[in-house]
Amino acid sequence: MSMATHITTAIIMADDLAPAALYRLMAWLSPAFPVGAFSYSSGIEWAVEANDIKDAATLKSWLGVMLVEGGGFCDAVLFVHAHRAVAENDDKALREVAELAATFAPSKERHLETTAQGNAFVEATRAAWGCEAIEKLKTIWGGPVAYPVAVAVASAGHGIAVEPALAAYLQAVAANWVSAGVRLIPLGQSDGQRVLAGLEAAVTATVRRALIAKLDDLGSSAFRADLASARHETQYTRLFRS
């Protein structure tokens, strides 16, 4: 049985998210997984200083745009295409997606954010959850690995279907953004959880849109969020790396 057939069969079987698949997603996307997500805010720190984000309502609005029209959507499209390339055993497509993802960040800090986490995810996964797909990624692409590509490749390599894997990835990203907002505004933990609950529909919509999107559909219309990530580079007082 070829690698492509093996992975495709496993993905079909994982449509109902078997306990092993759920366990792996929860482990990889837990705050305890060593990718350093807690040290990044995706420009939220500057948005708080600029008073664009000042309470739970403005945090939810800002993050909703990032998920549906900004970096969250771009990550989702890259995730889907990387996952598909592994499932179809298409090395050329996987390399192209990995290269595109590494060059697509709108600012220096966002590039650092996605590649530092992506590279850390690859190394941690190779050490404890090794699979042929991760090794192949290392072989065909020698550059920095963007975070959504790393998680997508591991998910496909372990036979986890793209839709639940992407939903879990976006929830983890949103949760990290909310955590940054809670610390920066600051907000209480209950308000933070209300914001995260309120983003569920945005995550679902982004997953559905990304599943049918082409790479040509990549693009962000969350201009203020992209500007925030660039402005953060010269922010005088900073708690976060982005």
Side-chain angles (χ1 to χ4, degrees):
M1 181 181 292
S2 70
M3 178 183 174
T5 302
H6 174 75
I7 291 174
T8 302
T9 302
I11 289 171
I12 291 171
M13 293 173 64
D15 278 342
D16 60 352
L17 204 58
L22 179 60
Y23 185 91
R24 292 169 197 184
L25 285 176
M26 292 176 69
W28 298 339
L29 298 169
S30 161
F33 204 69
V35 298
F38 64 88
S39 62
Y40 300 98
S41 81
S42 296
I44 293 168
E45 185 166 20
W46 182 84
V48 171
E49 181 172 289
N51 209 36
D52 288 0
I53 299 175
K54 53 184 177 293
D55 53 25
T58 51
L59 177 63
K60 178 187 172 185
S61 177
W62 182 277
L63 299 187
V65 172
M66 286 181 67
L67 276 168
V68 177
E69 303 293 346
F73 170 69
C74 294
D75 272 9
V77 175
L78 293 165
F79 188 110
V80 169
H81 283 268
H83 191 287
R84 185 176 298 151
V86 173
E88 296 176 355
N89 202 24
D90 189 337
D91 293 354
K92 181 176 182 291
L94 180 58
R95 190 188 190 285
E96 288 175 352
V97 173
E99 183 175 11
L100 179 62
T103 60
F104 200 72
S107 69
K108 179 181 178 180
E109 287 192 354
R110 290 285 273 276
H111 182 269
L112 169 68
E113 181 175 358
T114 191
T115 57
Q117 291 184 80
N119 290 334
F121 184 93
V122 167
E123 294 310 313
T125 306
R126 291 179 78 197
W129 311 85
C131 67
E132 186 178 348
I134 287 287
E135 296 306 320
K136 178 169 284 191
L137 175 64
K138 293 286 289 184
T139 300
I140 66 176
W141 170 243
V145 180
Y147 190 34
V149 171
V151 180
V153 169
S155 298
H158 282 266
I160 303 173
V162 62
E163 187 169 354
L166 176 56
Y169 170 83
L170 289 177
Q171 189 278 337
V173 169
N176 192 65
W177 291 344
V178 169
S179 177
V182 166
R183 285 174 279 169
L184 288 164
I185 295 173
L187 292 177
Q189 293 296 331
S190 295
D191 277 340
Q193 288 305 305
R194 291 187 189 101
V195 171
L196 185 58
L199 293 173
E200 181 177 344
V203 167
T204 300
T206 300
V207 169
R208 290 175 177 170
R209 184 179 170 205
L211 288 172
I212 59 174
K214 301 176 182 177
L215 284 176
D216 287 345
D217 296 325
L218 271 174
S220 169
S221 56
F223 176 73
R224 187 73 172 171
D226 293 339
L227 178 64
S229 71
R231 290 288 183 88
H232 185 267
E233 294 175 15
T234 57
Q235 189 170 333
Y236 181 71
T237 302
R238 303 189 302 175
L239 298 176
F240 293 85
R241 298 184 72 188
S242 71

